[in-house]
Amino acid sequence: MRIAVAGGTGTVGRFVVEAVHRRGHEAVVLSRADGVDVITGHGLAAALHGTHAVIDVTNIVTLSAAVAREFFETSTTNLLRAEKASGVAHHVALSIVGIDRIDASYYAGKLDQERAVTAGEVPFTIARAAQFHEFAGQLLSSMRGPLAFLPKTLMRPVAAREVGEHLVDVAEAGPAGRAPDLVGPRDEELADVARRQLRFDGIRRRVLSVRLPGTYGAGLASGSLRGRPGALQGRMTFDEWLRSDDHRRPNG
């Protein structure tokens, strides 16, 4: 099977590509580095020729609902249009568990992405996953100084590697509309896992948990991002991930 991975060089994308190769499929990476731009549509038609499935794990880092909506609507529309023209039989979109009532900030864009996929003409599966173990470190690295202020977030984080494997499972299974949600093995709080990561990495830094205002902040603190009963459960805990090769410790 020829599987194209949009965002194939990112946090999850690299594990998707690894899983595609490991299972004997052909992987096509859709990224600007490979001459393909999902925002402008440049290179998409040629890259998708002969492709059976597309796994979309493209992402943008923003807290602006307007920016997130524009990015996900544009990239999804371009992908679906090119897939339709190329005869792609299955579009797989990665989304996030528990965001139905958090139509704000970044999650507003993800919900618009889901709506665009559902309304499109390409057979699809939306696969929702919990926050990744990598999430806390990404936030910490975006801040400077001895203090890190993280939003109060109740979550059930999962390894990005396991998300990548799950997405290839979904692609192989064929269009299903909605795949079972995937969450991690333990309930966690964002600030706590960040403190454990800093301690493991030998970094002296204080982490404070701050309740954000509005719909977005309420959603993060509500526990809805931990998913609902019956979700598929990842195997690797956050502390196991810290000790794994997938955790890239700071140099020095």
Side-chain angles (χ1 to χ4, degrees):
M1 182 186 295
R2 181 179 167 92
I3 300 176
V5 185
T9 59
T11 301
V12 177
R14 63 193 180 98
F15 292 122
V16 174
V17 173
E18 282 184 19
V20 169
H21 286 307
R22 189 164 51 249
R23 299 189 193 189
H25 303 302
E26 178 185 359
V28 179
V29 177
L30 307 181
S31 71
R32 285 194 294 271
D34 295 282
V36 182
D37 192 325
V38 296
I39 296 299
T40 65
H42 177 75
L44 274 177
L48 293 181
H49 180 72
T51 297
H52 301 89
V54 171
I55 298 176
D56 181 11
V57 291
T58 54
N59 194 34
I60 186 172
V61 179
T62 182
L63 290 178
S64 166
V67 172
R69 285 191 172 109
E70 181 177 3
F71 174 83
F72 286 112
E73 287 174 2
T74 302
S75 60
T76 301
T77 298
N78 287 337
L79 278 169
L80 294 174
R81 183 182 296 122
E83 290 167 23
K84 178 68 175 177
S86 301
V88 174
H90 189 191
H91 179 94
V92 178
L94 174 63
S95 192
I96 306 167
V97 300
I99 62 172
D100 297 283
R101 296 182 180 178
I102 319 177
D103 196 354
S105 191
Y106 173 80
Y107 297 142
K110 295 301 291 183
L111 287 170
D112 273 10
Q113 179 187 28
E114 291 188 7
R115 295 180 189 113
V117 169
T118 302
E121 297 183 73
V122 179
F124 69 91
T125 306
I126 294 171
R128 287 182 169 186
Q131 279 70 26
F132 315 134
H133 291 325
E134 289 83 350
F135 182 55
Q138 290 169 346
L139 291 181
L140 288 171
S141 65
S142 70
M143 306 173 189
R144 297 187 180 277
L147 292 178
F149 295 91
L150 299 185
K152 181 174 178 58
T153 305
L154 303 181
M155 58 185 190
R156 199 173 176 90
V158 63
R161 177 179 294 278
E162 293 182 335
V163 176
E165 293 281 355
H166 174 63
L167 291 171
V168 179
D169 288 340
V170 169
E172 291 176 333
R178 178 75 179 270
D181 292 350
L182 176 65
V183 299
R186 293 184 182 174
D187 288 343
E188 300 281 8
E189 203 272 322
L190 176 60
D192 184 57
V193 297
R195 294 181 188 111
R196 280 147 56 195
Q197 179 163 335
L198 290 171
R199 186 163 56 248
F200 181 86
D201 291 341
I203 298 173
R204 294 178 62 84
R205 194 176 184 193
R206 189 179 180 191
V207 175
L208 299 178
S209 182
V210 179
R211 173 72 176 261
L212 297 183
T215 300
Y216 182 65
L220 296 179
S222 70
S224 66
L225 297 179
R226 289 176 170 172
R228 295 176 295 183
L232 297 177
Q233 200 169 101
R235 300 175 301 279
M236 183 181 287
T237 67
F238 180 78
D239 295 301
E240 289 170 341
W241 173 81
L242 282 176
R243 297 190 295 271
S244 76
D245 291 339
D246 289 342
H247 172 46
R248 299 176 177 178
R249 299 181 65 176
N251 293 326

